[in-house]
Amino acid sequence: MTSLTTVRVRYQTIEIGNTDIHVCTLRDNQQFSDPDNEALNLGICSASWPMFGVIWPSSLVLANHMLDYDIAGKRILEVGCGMALSSLLLNHRHADITATDYHPTVEYFLDRNTTLNNNKEINFERLDWSEDNSHLGKFDIIIGSDLLYEDQHIDILAEFIERHALPTCEVIVVDPGRGRKNKLTNKMIEFGFSSQHVKPENTTYLELPFKGHILTFSRSAASYKQSDT
């Protein structure tokens, strides 16, 4: 795992409702450390290397959305977790949470931040959405924030979600407004999901107004069977 001796970090406490989540993040998005070219060999350039390591507005929206979400008995997966704020919150709520990301440094921060919050270790797997050999299994709830960067990612992301979604499943994606939510929606409908796009009701915890949506995709076992025939 990557050492952080060459990057500057910051510690902050993020209030999600009445819950405090303590996080160590990169100081800013100008930090960079890839001495062994681990990220470079994965196709992560120096300009995008630090993007995983700061808290983005969409991740705050997702975490606040999950604060009171019904998680009882649910197995939950966070996709493209980055700083994994929602995973940290759900772990604090004693959820069955697994986090994934492609970036080689994410696990370092995840372990560090789990310790900061005095909570149990979070299951983590580093993988590419196009990989179909992971051992993640299937989930009741799949969540993610700010995932829709490129058009070519839409099908890959939707197919990854489908591989790891139980027949009855809820998928929650917070999109800041990159113009691709309808393309993802169309793909999810092909897999038997219904969709709902809503503006978050209260985002006073953000510095600027949130222009995006919370995308919720729901599927029952019955609609899963129909889409599979």
Side-chain angles (χ1 to χ4, degrees):
M1 236 173 317
T2 303
S3 169
L4 292 186
T5 56
T6 58
V7 298
R8 300 184 71 191
V9 300
R10 62 179 297 205
Y11 291 86
Q12 55 187 309
T13 297
I14 297 177
E15 297 179 14
I16 304 170
N18 293 322
T19 301
D20 290 342
I21 299 296
H22 311 294
V23 292
C24 171
T25 69
L26 294 180
R27 177 67 57 90
D28 51 47
N29 60 13
Q30 302 302 310
Q31 303 302 315
F32 177 75
S33 177
D34 190 24
D36 300 321
N37 291 329
E38 187 176 7
L40 183 64
N41 292 335
L42 293 173
I44 301 170
C45 67
S46 58
S48 63
W49 186 93
M51 296 298 102
F52 83 95
V54 294
I55 302 292
W56 296 99
S58 293
S59 67
L60 288 165
V61 172
L62 180 61
N64 277 272
H65 186 68
M66 300 308 296
L67 177 61
D68 298 314
Y69 208 85
D70 181 11
I71 58 171
K74 306 290 181 65
R75 187 167 187 244
I76 308 170
L77 173 68
E78 183 174 10
V79 180
C81 66
M83 283 289 93
L85 184 60
S86 290
S87 287
L88 292 167
L89 171 73
L90 290 166
N91 194 43
H92 192 73
R93 293 186 62 197
H94 308 293
D96 181 355
I97 178 70
T98 298
T100 67
D101 202 286
Y102 190 50
H103 199 290
T105 314
V106 165
E107 189 174 10
Y108 178 96
F109 277 97
L110 184 64
D111 289 345
R112 189 167 186 170
N113 288 331
T114 301
T115 300
L116 282 178
N117 289 281
N118 297 314
N119 288 323
K120 68 176 184 178
E121 182 179 347
I122 295 175
N123 295 325
F124 176 82
E125 188 167 337
R126 193 200 69 76
L127 49 77
D128 187 331
W129 293 337
S130 62
E131 294 178 2
D132 58 6
N133 59 348
S134 79
H135 303 290
L136 290 173
K138 294 184 181 290
F139 296 82
D140 302 283
I141 303 173
I142 299 175
I143 64 174
S145 61
D146 207 353
L147 303 176
L148 310 178
Y149 276 95
E150 304 287 346
D151 281 345
Q152 60 264 33
H153 292 163
I154 301 298
D155 286 358
I156 296 172
L157 172 60
E159 289 163 4
F160 176 83
I161 291 172
E162 170 62 8
R163 285 198 300 275
H164 298 290
L166 285 165
T168 297
C169 183
E170 294 174 296
V171 179
I172 302 163
V173 176
V174 176
D175 176 55
R178 298 188 184 277
R180 297 182 177 89
K181 68 180 187 299
N182 292 335
K183 294 178 181 179
L184 177 64
T185 297
N186 291 337
K187 192 67 180 178
M188 295 299 290
I189 288 172
E190 292 180 18
F191 293 131
F193 286 87
S194 62
S195 72
Q196 183 180 37
H197 301 175
V198 299
K199 287 276 191 181
E201 292 182 0
N202 179 14
T203 56
T204 56
Y205 49 83
L206 298 178
E207 294 182 3
L208 298 172
F210 189 71
K211 298 180 180 180
H213 292 81
I214 299 173
L215 317 180
T216 301
F217 306 102
S218 301
R219 185 176 68 189
S220 66
S223 58
Y224 173 74
K225 289 180 180 178
Q226 291 175 359
S227 67
D228 201 40
T229 57

